[in-house]
Structures are given as structure tokens and as C-alpha cells.
Amino acid sequence: MHGRRWSIRRKEERQEICEGVNVIQLCLCGHTHAYMLSSLVSSLCHSANKHKPWIETEYQGIVMENDNTVLLNPPLFALDKDAPLHYAGEICGFRVHNGPSGSGSVQFEAVVLDRSTGEGLVRSKEPLDCESQREHSFTIQAYDCGEGPDGVNSKKSHKATVHVRVNDVNEFSPVFVERRYEASVPEGRLFDRIVRVEALDADCSPQYSQICFYDIITPNVPFAIDNDGNIKNTEPLDSKRQRVHTFWVTAFDCGKNRAQADAQVVVTVKPSCKPGWIGWTKRVEYTPGSGSIPLFPSLHLETCEETVWNIQATVELQTGHIGKGCDRDSYSDRSVRRLCGAVRGEVDLLPPPSPAANWTATLPTLPSSDSSLVFSFNGSNHVAVVPDSVVSTLSGDHFTLQLWMRRGGSSIQPATTQTRGNRKEEETIVCSTVKNDDTFSHYSLSVHGCRLSLFYWPDVSAARPVKFLWKLEQVCDSEWHHLSLSVQFPSVTLYVDGVTFDPALIHDNGAIPNPAPRQRMFIGACWGKTLSFLKFFMSVTGTDSLPYVGGYHGLLSGVTVRPGSVEPHSVVECLYACREGLDFGDLETLGSGMKVHVNPSQSVLVLEGDDIESFNRAVQQVTYRNSLRFATPGVRPLKLTTSLRCFNEESCLSLKQLEGYLVVLQPDAPQISLSGVGPHLARPAPEFEGPRGVPLFPELRIVCSLSHAVNTAAQGMEALMSDAVAHTLDGCEVQPLGEELNSEREELLVDMDVVRERGLEIINTTAYIAITGAESISVYEDVLRSVRYRLAKGSARFERRFRLSCSEMNGRYTSNELTLEVNFLHSLDSLYHPSHLLASQQQFLHPSHHAGELSGHTLPNPHRNSVVPGAATIIIMVCVGFLVVMVILGVFRIRSIHRRGEGARGGAKEGSSQWDDSALTIIVNPMETYESRMGITADTEGEGEEDEEVAESPDDASDDQRIIIKKEGRDGNARRY
């Protein structure tokens, strides 16, 4: 600054000197010597331009929108060291150049206010707009006047940067974004914000572009507005007093400019709103065979304008009381395994009690809605000891163990709640020691709290045991669960309800005594102590029974073991698969942001979303499906739990749980009809004594139909229609009525090739034949048509009755009982043979010796024919006498017909009391009382005998001939006498 003042003062001195020289020149004007002196002085004052002008390097400028003069800081001055020389020390002008952005020079110019002092001024060429461009940058450069008036040898200064900011002027007023604002609110509540109004200001500066405050200009309204434009009510609104509130609001910027136009606000007061689900139906009915039906077709959620950002609804269908957790195929476990394509060869460890499987006879059973057999274990004396003959078939270290289990009650607590001092012992489900060639292997499946463990000992004499452990909630929730354990040691795979779980492997179990090398298997407990203790116990007690430890408390069903390769995952899923459950209609129509999750048993469905409309559409697509044609009828409780998350957590809605129930109606029961077999089957006795016997049901027909009501349009009434359907049977039984079969004299035969080819199972005893397995009707027809009845040689009988019945779905639906009476035809020559008559008399004299042979005959029945041997002889003689009378009458009638001729034929038909010999053919049989009661038709006789009109008398007949008279009764059936 000091140097600047010095340069200015020096410049001024030089200027004064030159001005003095100019005065001297004027004074000496006209003198020769004066002219020479003036030239000398002028050369001293106007020397060569040696220095460039100098200006500041940077300037900051401000200009108002309504002005063009730029106020610079520092002020614009250009200095030249050549001052006070004329021209060379003077500033002739400033030049403006483009700035870094390439613009600015066109809009601004710089002018010189004083050439000698170098003072300048920057100004805009045209009005500036702050809203279009608020800041400008350019460069400026000064230049002197050179060495003369023409500016020869002019010099330029360096370029200085000039930054100009255009100051805003409050030229715009606020403008509302919308001219009309509308909102709806429920009555009776105070809201933090009902609606928000917004105004904008076009000015460029924060001072004038910001809206400083809003104001409601309509007086006496129950509303208030803050500086951000949020409108709230100052008192609860009442829709009955005033349904619609209309008022005006304005806005002011920080320059106190008011909005050009005010905005109108309309608030509609709605009647009181109750948030929750609307359209809930407590009872939902399902007709079996309907496929999938929507559970909530008209349900929607009302939030009463509450803004929510997350909605979660959980639909729960409780099916734990239906069978084993849900509605499944009601076939037997073995039939279901076959339908699912499981490998055959499984061994049922808990079979139904029978003479062949009596180790489950002492176990208590519980009824089951799916017709399966459920065994109860009390944790103490309820134990099933599998026979050695069954255990010997289960050798090997590759096997699959499958079972249904349900722990003993809701009081079971997780293992974490048990202290070390009061720790319950493990509950053993299966405990087994099997022989593998020369070694014994041992394993036990146990539960402890909420843990499932498999203790496996590959070789009880050498190898150390390995323990596989799973921590499962399913073990302790007191619900039915399906377990499938596939062992391919050292690999073990566990499926619980069709889902795979990995075990925690424990190799070192400490010092554990080796199990006794003895083949055995227990269900519901295990044997305890060491081998020496067991020998001592059995020697002291004198019994082969063992003390039990680790008793299981709960329910078991369908416990099977299949040695060999393990079951594939698809088979395990099929065995567990529920035929009913929750489902979602169409996933493609699911709205944006919606999520659906269904658990493996399809009893819980979770919906999650953030949009009310999309969520309501999704809820209406939740369906119930049941793929069973004959679904288990009953009530399924239904629950809907809703969770909302709002932006304002304090005022967020809380919805109560909705409860209802789904009613599965009684399905139309199938009608299984057995037909095609007459009530009587008569064959000569020798045919039954053949090697193949006689088929009992050669023309059996099985038809399954469904009856359902239909509306008749003509009469406006309902009628029952019966439609034949393709069906699957799972069992048929043939049972002799009366006494059981005598295994030494009679038997029922079945084509075993057909049974094995179809994969069916058969139980053939003297009391019944049972054929089981899920198969089609045609297969059962083929198998039952092959059932034959055979008698041993000389096992004379008169009748035997059989009953046939079939069932499906494990006995849930049964057919009609088809009763067949088998009659054995005996020839008269054998009846008239003296040895036969003697045997017949002996039979009557000693009926007790032949009770087995005549069990189906009516003669030993004391209620029908209480006769003595003499009475039998009298009957035979009466029949022979009756035969003679009939022959005489027949001969007399024939002769009368020949006399009368053709014209007398009409007189032969006199009345119903006289016989019409045109249809008279009489067969005389001494055993009329038996044959007539049996109702054996004349079809069993030869067709050639129908034309016989005259028979020989008994005296003329030989021993090998039969005396036959055939009579046609009123019913049209021929009877033999």
C-alpha cells in the first residue's frame, strides 16, 4: 500500500513537471532558441513506454438484479510506472475476456473513469437475472496509451479474475402447489397432521425463496397450521355437527411477500371407524371332492386411514385331532408304503395282535380316526418284546426305521429346564441287538427332553459306540410326527415330517459296558445292566424275562424296519404327505412386495406385505384343499393373527385374533356291491374232491358307486343318482359260516401266482381267508375268482356256507355280505347201496361221530328234523309206494289221451287241481325231503331227460338205473322226487 502511494505521488510529480514544460513552451513560442529548448524539454517528458500497467489478481463483485453497476472489492485501479509521462503513464482502457466457464465477457464491460489515475468501472451490458444465473466469472486486463496519441507500442497488464454475484431482489410471491387440498378423518380423535399444504417461491436467494410461515385466513375454524404447512385439528371433530369443513390458507416468504393466490382446504369428517377385519365368516363348510375353496372370499382389512408400512397375517389350521396331524390316506401303513412306491421287505414291529403276532396283545390300543392301530406306552410295564424269529431277519448295518410317534403329554419340558441333580432318564423307543454273521451289533433310538438320539454299536465285542444326537422341537410338542431314520453306517439320515435334519455326532461316550451278545429287540423300553447281572438275575428268578429300563411314555404307530438300502427322499415325503392343508390360489397374481410362506405340513400360512390393497387381494386367495375323495369329516379350528407396523408406533393399531372353524362335511359313502354269484352253488361231490376243487366265485362282479342328490328340472325335486367310479379296495375276506374248516378234510385254495404278481398279502386259516393290499377292483375280482373249495376223498357232505365281504380305506367302508351256499350232489346208486344205507343208519344212530361231516346238513339239526332210524326207513318205503302210484296214474292218463283223439285235448285242462301231463315229467327220489328243501333245480340233471313221459317201475329197474318222474311245479322249476 505504501508503494502504491509512492508511485502515485511520483506520477503526480512527473505530471506537474511536464505541465510546467508545456507552459514554458507556450511562453517561448516564436523564438528560434525557444523552439530548440521546447523540443529538448518535450523529449524529456515523452520518453519511450517502458513498463506495463499493473492491476490486482482477483476481484469480488456484487450487482443487484435492478442495477448494472458492479461493486468490486477492491476497487478497480490500474497503475503504470511510466507515470507521469504523457501517454506511456496513462491508462487508456480495460478489456474483458471469457472466464473459466467460457461465458461472462459478453454480459459485462469495463470502462476507464480517469486515465491518469487508472480508475475503472465494471458494469453489465444488459439486466441480469438471479433466477437464471446467480454467479458470473470473467477476466479483465488493463492497457496504457502507448507512446503517442495513436497508442503505438501500448502495453497490457496481466489478467485478473473477476467473480460477480447477482444479488436477489424479492420479485416473486409464494405460489401453492395445489389450489385445493382434501382430506378425510374419522371423528372423535385428535390428529398430529390431517393434511399438509405446500407453497413455493421462485426467487433465487434463501432469504426470499423460503416460505417463512403459513396462515389460516378463515376465522373460527377448529384447525391450526404450523410453519411447515401441517394442518391439525384443535378439537375432536363431530360428523353429526359438521360433516365438511372448508377454509382458506395463505403463505408468506421471508421477504414478507404474500402468496399470489390462497389455497382452499376441505376436510371431511367420517363417522367413527373401527379398525379390523371386515367380512370375517366364522364357519366355513367344505364338501369333499370340491378341490380347493377360498377361506376368506370377501375379507378385507380396515385401518381407518392409519398409515402402515408392514402387515403380517398368520392363518393357522388346526388338524392335530384328525388322524396323525392331518387328513391322510386311510389305507393301512403297509398299503400306503406300496402306493408311495416304497421298497418292499419291511417288517412290522407293532403288528395287529393275532395268533401269528401275539407280542402286541398285551399293549393297550387307542381308537384312531384314520383306522390305523395306535399303541399306548406308559413308561413302565408296556413293552413289546419282538420274537427272535422276527429279529433274525433284521441283520445288517443298513436299514430304515420308520414310525409315527407322539410324546406322552403337554407336561414334557425341554431338556434345558432339567437340572443335573434331577434329571429324567432317557425314554427308549426301540432297542435292538442283532446278529451279523459272527458279530452282534446294537442300536437304540431314544428321546430325552427335546432331544432325539441314536446309540449305535457296530460290534458289541470290539468297537466303541457312536451316538447321533438331534435337538428337535417336534420331539416334545405332544403332537403326532413321522420319523424316518436311514442308517448306512457310518452315515445316518433323519427325516422328521419329510424334512431332513443333520445330527451332532458324538464319538466318545465314556466307559460304557458292552451289551450282551444276545439277539433281541424291545419296543418301548430296553434291557438294562451288564451281562453278568442279567445271568445272575435270570438264575435267581428262574425266568427268561429281563428288567426294563428307559420306558417310553407316549403313543407309537406304524413302527417298521426294512433291512437293506435306505428309502429315497421322495418316498419319505409321500409317506408323510398331508392330503389337506392351506394353499395360495395363484402366485402369479401376487402383488408387488407380497410374500407367502407355508410350513411343510401346510397347517400354517403366513402373508406379509406393505400395501393394504395388495394385502387384501392376497388374503382373499388363501384356500383350503383336500385331495381325498372321502375326506375325514369333522371340525378344523381356524385362526387368523394379524400384526401391523406403523410409522407412528405409539398410535399403531392392534388387532385381536380371529377364530373360526372349517367344517368338512360327511362325504357321499361309496357303495361297494358284490354280485354275480347265486345264493346256491350245486355241484356233484366228486368235483369238489378233484385236485383243483371247485371255484366259489367264478362270475364275481364288484361295482363301486357313489349316490348323490341332483335336482330334476321338470318336477323341481331332488333325486338320488348313482355313478359308478373307479376305486381301490384294500381288503377282502372269505369266511366259512358255522364251524371252521376241518384242515384234514377240506380247504380253500387261492392262486398264489396272481396274489404275488399283484403284490397283495394273504392270510389263509381254517377260520377265514384275508386278502389285503391297496389295489384296483379288477385285481381283486381276478384274485377272488381264483378262490376254490376242495374236499378230501371220502369226505361226504351235504352243504357248506361261505360269506364274502370287501372293504376299502382300512375298513372305513365295507361292501354287502355275499352269502353262498354250496350243495354237494350225491347219486342214488350210492344212496341205495346196502353199505351206504347201513352207513346212513349208523350215521343216525351215532350222529356225534360225524358232526364234522354233517355240519352243514339239516338232518342233525334237532329243530328241523328230529327223526330216528325207523322213521327214515318208513320215509323211503312211502316214497317208493308213491312212485308206483304215480306210474300207474301216468299209464292210465296216456291211454285215455289216445282214445280221445285230437278233439279231447281241451278237456285235459279242467282245473288247477288236475295235472297237465303235457308238462308232466316226474323224477322220483327217495330223498325227497332233503332234495325238495334244498330247492335244487332240474338244471343239474341232463337236458335229455325233459322228454321222458313214462318211467320204468321200481321192480323192473336195475341197480344201475334210477327211477325218474319229473314234475314241473307252479313256479316253473322242475323238482326231483
Side-chain angles (χ1 to χ4, degrees):
M1 196 69 181
H2 176 73
R4 181 181 177 186
R5 286 196 300 265
W6 176 84
S7 61
I8 294 176
R9 185 170 56 252
R10 183 179 177 186
K11 184 176 181 180
E12 292 176 351
E13 293 176 352
R14 293 179 60 187
Q15 187 174 1
E16 292 176 353
I17 295 173
C18 291
E19 288 179 352
V21 171
N22 292 334
V23 172
I24 295 174
Q25 288 178 347
L26 292 175
C27 295
L28 298 177
C29 184
H31 298 277
T32 306
H33 297 285
Y35 175 77
M36 295 177 61
L37 180 61
S38 175
S39 299
L40 178 61
V41 172
S42 177
S43 62
L44 291 175
C45 293
H46 299 88
S47 60
N49 191 5
K50 298 180 179 180
H51 301 91
K52 297 187 296 182
W54 177 90
I55 59 177
E56 299 287 346
T57 58
E58 186 176 14
Y59 296 91
Q60 300 293 334
I62 298 175
V63 61
M64 302 300 292
E65 277 187 316
N66 56 0
D67 192 7
N68 63 348
T69 301
V70 179
L71 302 179
L72 295 180
N73 182 24
L76 181 60
F77 281 95
L79 302 179
D80 196 325
K81 292 183 179 181
D82 293 327
L85 296 179
H86 193 51
Y87 299 114
E90 296 178 347
I91 302 300
C92 282
F94 296 92
R95 289 191 180 92
V96 177
H97 303 279
N98 290 337
S101 59
S103 62
S105 61
V106 178
Q107 294 178 320
F108 295 90
E109 64 178 357
V111 296
V112 178
L113 298 179
D114 189 349
R115 297 176 59 178
S116 60
T117 60
E119 182 180 1
L121 175 67
V122 177
R123 61 190 178 187
S124 61
K125 297 179 180 179
E126 55 188 22
L128 300 177
D129 187 6
C130 175
E131 285 73 31
S132 60
Q133 186 174 353
R134 189 175 181 183
E135 293 186 352
H136 301 267
S137 295
F138 54 90
T139 59
I140 190 172
Q141 190 177 30
Y143 59 94
D144 56 20
C145 297
E147 296 179 354
D150 53 358
V152 178
N153 198 19
S154 174
K155 294 186 179 294
K156 300 177 182 180
S157 69
H158 62 274
K159 292 181 180 180
T161 303
V162 180
H163 300 282
V164 178
R165 184 179 72 250
V166 181
N167 279 358
D168 186 25
V169 176
N170 193 9
E171 56 184 331
F172 295 100
S173 298
V175 177
F176 281 97
V177 177
E178 297 181 16
R179 296 296 304 273
R180 179 184 175 92
Y181 293 87
E182 295 182 358
S184 299
V185 293
E187 63 180 356
R189 293 178 55 187
L190 291 176
F191 296 91
D192 294 334
R193 185 178 71 175
I194 296 176
V195 66
R196 181 177 182 270
V197 299
E198 184 181 8
L200 301 177
D201 195 307
D203 289 314
C204 65
S205 63
Q207 179 181 1
Y208 301 126
S209 63
Q210 291 183 353
I211 307 300
C212 281
F213 62 94
Y214 295 87
D215 189 22
I216 297 177
I217 60 178
T218 303
N220 302 324
V221 292
F223 298 95
I225 188 169
D226 60 14
N227 293 338
D228 295 327
N230 297 314
I231 298 175
K232 64 179 181 178
N233 57 325
T234 57
E235 62 182 40
L237 304 178
D238 188 356
S239 62
K240 297 179 181 179
R241 186 173 61 184
Q242 186 174 354
R243 182 68 183 275
V244 179
H245 294 267
T246 304
F247 53 93
W248 296 84
V249 297
T250 189
F252 293 89
D253 62 16
C254 294
K256 297 185 179 181
N257 273 2
R258 181 177 171 174
Q260 292 180 355
D262 300 328
Q264 185 184 38
V265 179
V266 179
V267 177
T268 302
V269 182
K270 298 187 299 183
S272 58
C273 174
K274 186 177 181 181
W277 290 102
I278 299 176
W280 170 261
T281 303
K282 190 173 184 179
R283 175 188 173 98
V284 181
E285 291 186 355
Y286 177 81
T287 302
S290 302
S292 297
I293 63 169
L295 292 177
F296 321 112
S298 59
L299 188 67
H300 66 277
L301 181 62
E302 175 61 56
T303 60
C304 297
E305 304 298 331
E306 181 69 32
T307 305
V308 297
W309 63 272
N310 181 267
I311 314 170
Q312 181 173 314
T314 302
V315 183
E316 181 181 359
L317 181 69
Q318 297 180 5
T319 58
H321 61 290
I322 306 296
K324 300 184 183 71
C326 63
D327 207 357
R328 294 184 173 87
D329 286 316
S330 297
Y331 299 108
S332 62
D333 292 334
R334 191 179 295 271
S335 297
V336 172
R337 288 180 54 82
R338 186 172 178 273
L339 293 175
C340 290
V343 182
R344 300 177 185 176
E346 72 278 359
V347 177
D348 194 352
L349 302 182
L350 291 179
S354 64
N358 58 356
W359 67 88
T360 59
T362 59
L363 295 178
T365 59
L366 297 179
S368 175
S369 59
D370 62 354
S371 304
S372 61
L373 198 59
V374 176
F375 293 92
S376 176
F377 295 83
N378 61 0
S380 57
N381 58 345
H382 291 168
V383 180
V385 181
V386 184
D388 292 344
S389 59
V390 178
V391 181
S392 60
T393 62
L394 304 177
S395 61
D397 56 358
H398 289 191
F399 61 90
T400 299
L401 174 65
Q402 296 192 16
L403 56 94
W404 286 93
M405 67 169 292
R406 178 181 178 181
R407 291 293 293 279
S410 59
S411 60
I412 295 179
Q413 299 294 332
T416 54
T417 63
Q418 301 171 359
T419 61
R420 192 176 185 85
N422 184 22
R423 193 171 185 180
K424 297 180 180 179
E425 65 177 3
E426 291 186 348
E427 300 178 20
T428 304
I429 301 175
V430 179
C431 187
S432 174
T433 299
V434 296
K435 185 176 182 180
N436 303 323
D437 298 331
D438 298 332
T439 62
F440 289 85
S441 61
H442 173 83
Y443 72 88
S444 63
L445 182 66
S446 306
V447 289
H448 185 195
C450 290
R451 289 180 173 86
L452 178 74
S453 63
L454 175 67
F455 188 80
Y456 191 79
W457 209 310
D459 188 353
V460 298
S461 61
R464 295 181 65 87
V466 179
K467 190 173 185 179
F468 301 89
L469 189 65
W470 297 267
K471 186 175 181 181
L472 304 170
E473 295 180 358
Q474 294 88 337
V475 176
C476 55
D477 62 358
S478 299
E479 299 291 342
W480 278 107
H481 295 285
H482 180 261
L483 273 65
S484 178
L485 188 67
S486 299
V487 177
Q488 284 183 309
F489 190 78
S491 175
V492 175
T493 304
L494 174 67
Y495 298 95
V496 180
D497 298 338
V499 180
T500 309
F501 290 89
D502 296 326
L505 188 61
I506 303 175
H507 290 280
D508 189 4
N509 290 279
I512 299 178
N514 293 28
R518 177 186 173 188
Q519 186 169 268
R520 74 192 91 178
M521 175 179 283
F522 287 4
I523 309 296
C526 195
W527 57 90
K529 309 300 180 181
T530 61
L531 177 61
S532 60
F533 175 81
L534 294 178
K535 292 181 178 179
F536 172 76
F537 179 83
M538 289 186 293
S539 63
V540 171
T541 58
T543 180
D544 212 14
S545 62
L546 302 176
Y548 303 135
V549 296
Y552 173 72
H553 185 269
L555 304 178
L556 293 177
S557 179
V559 182
T560 62
V561 172
R562 187 182 61 80
S565 59
V566 299
E567 298 282 11
H569 190 193
S570 59
V571 173
V572 177
E573 288 182 338
C574 177
L575 294 175
Y576 170 73
C578 289
R579 303 305 180 188
E580 68 170 342
L582 300 173
D583 202 355
F584 192 81
D586 188 5
L587 292 175
E588 293 183 357
T589 61
L590 195 64
S592 176
M594 292 295 303
K595 299 178 182 178
V596 180
H597 174 72
V598 184
N599 67 336
S601 62
Q602 296 183 318
S603 61
V604 177
L605 184 143
V606 180
L607 285 174
E608 186 175 358
D610 53 9
D611 181 66
I612 293 291
E613 297 299 328
S614 300
F615 196 86
N616 287 335
R617 288 193 299 268
V619 168
Q620 295 173 3
Q621 295 192 51
V622 176
T623 61
Y624 168 79
R625 59 145 191 91
N626 195 320
S627 60
L628 293 180
R629 179 180 295 173
F630 307 107
T632 303
V635 176
R636 278 82 164 161
L638 195 63
K639 294 182 180 180
L640 176 60
T641 306
T642 311
S643 175
L644 301 179
R645 302 185 67 180
C646 309
F647 290 100
N648 188 359
E649 296 293 340
E650 296 180 356
S651 62
C652 196
L653 302 176
S654 178
L655 304 181
K656 67 177 183 178
Q657 185 183 69
L658 297 180
E659 295 184 359
Y661 53 92
L662 172 74
V663 180
V664 178
L665 303 179
Q666 186 74 30
D668 295 329
Q671 299 173 358
I672 308 173
S673 176
L674 307 180
S675 62
V677 177
H680 300 280
L681 175 64
R683 291 289 186 275
E687 293 186 15
F688 291 93
E689 298 174 355
R692 293 181 54 83
V694 175
L696 296 180
F697 317 105
E699 298 179 359
L700 176 67
R701 291 184 67 250
I702 305 176
V703 177
C704 184
S705 60
L706 290 177
S707 297
H708 54 89
V710 295
N711 293 323
T712 57
Q715 301 178 357
M717 300 175 62
E718 288 191 353
L720 289 178
M721 295 291 293
S722 182
D723 300 331
V725 294
H727 232 46
T728 300
L729 301 179
D730 61 2
C732 288
E733 183 178 288
V734 181
Q735 179 184 5
L737 299 179
E739 296 183 357
E740 295 184 2
L741 298 177
N742 189 337
S743 59
E744 297 180 355
R745 297 177 179 272
E746 53 186 342
E747 63 179 340
L748 288 174
L749 305 176
V750 183
D751 191 345
M752 297 303 298
D753 293 336
V754 177
V755 175
R756 295 192 190 96
E757 180 182 356
R758 299 299 185 178
L760 300 177
E761 297 182 358
I762 185 171
I763 300 176
N764 194 350
T765 66
T766 58
Y768 63 91
I769 283 185
I771 304 171
T772 58
E775 260 299 348
S776 63
I777 288 179
S778 60
V779 172
Y780 270 92
E781 286 180 339
D782 295 340
V783 174
L784 292 175
R785 288 170 183 170
S786 68
V787 175
R788 295 172 175 269
Y789 176 62
R790 189 173 71 87
L791 288 174
K793 294 291 185 180
S795 301
R797 295 189 62 89
F798 290 98
E799 68 175 9
R800 166 65 87 173
R801 300 175 66 199
F802 294 94
R803 181 173 60 198
L804 171 64
S805 62
C806 295
S807 65
E808 67 167 327
M809 301 187 76
N810 212 10
R812 181 176 173 184
Y813 301 106
T814 58
S815 69
N816 61 309
E817 292 185 350
L818 185 63
T819 303
L820 176 66
E821 185 174 298
V822 180
N823 303 127
F824 308 92
L825 302 182
H826 301 275
S827 60
L828 286 179
D829 56 349
S830 61
L831 291 176
Y832 281 123
H833 197 275
S835 61
H836 183 273
L837 291 177
L838 180 60
S840 299
Q841 293 181 4
Q842 292 177 354
Q843 176 177 335
F844 282 99
L845 289 172
H846 308 283
S848 61
H849 298 291
H850 304 278
E853 298 179 8
L854 300 177
S855 61
H857 198 273
T858 60
L859 293 179
N861 192 338
H863 300 286
R864 295 188 178 182
N865 296 311
S866 297
V867 296
V868 295
T873 305
I874 293 173
I875 292 174
I876 296 175
M877 297 304 296
V878 171
C879 292
V880 173
F882 181 75
L883 171 64
V884 174
V885 174
M886 292 297 104
V887 171
I888 294 173
L889 291 176
V891 173
F892 178 77
R893 294 291 293 174
I894 293 173
R895 290 180 180 179
S896 298
I897 293 173
H898 286 292
R899 291 195 192 102
R900 293 175 183 176
E902 294 295 329
R905 291 184 180 180
K909 303 177 182 179
E910 295 179 356
S912 59
S913 62
Q914 295 182 352
W915 291 356
D916 185 2
D917 59 349
S918 62
L920 177 63
T921 307
I922 302 176
I923 303 174
V924 178
N925 193 331
M927 299 300 293
E928 178 191 7
T929 58
Y930 170 72
E931 298 283 351
S932 62
R933 185 184 63 80
M934 295 300 295
I936 302 176
T937 63
D939 294 338
T940 59
E941 302 295 329
E943 295 295 336
E945 297 178 356
E946 295 181 356
D947 298 328
E948 294 181 13
E949 296 182 355
V950 180
E952 297 178 356
S953 65
D955 298 334
D956 297 334
S958 63
D959 293 341
D960 297 333
Q961 292 177 333
R962 283 192 267 180
I963 302 172
I964 301 173
I965 298 177
K966 193 173 184 183
K967 174 184 176 182
E968 186 175 10
R970 294 182 180 180
D971 56 357
N973 294 328
R975 295 184 180 274
R976 297 179 305 168
Y977 294 88

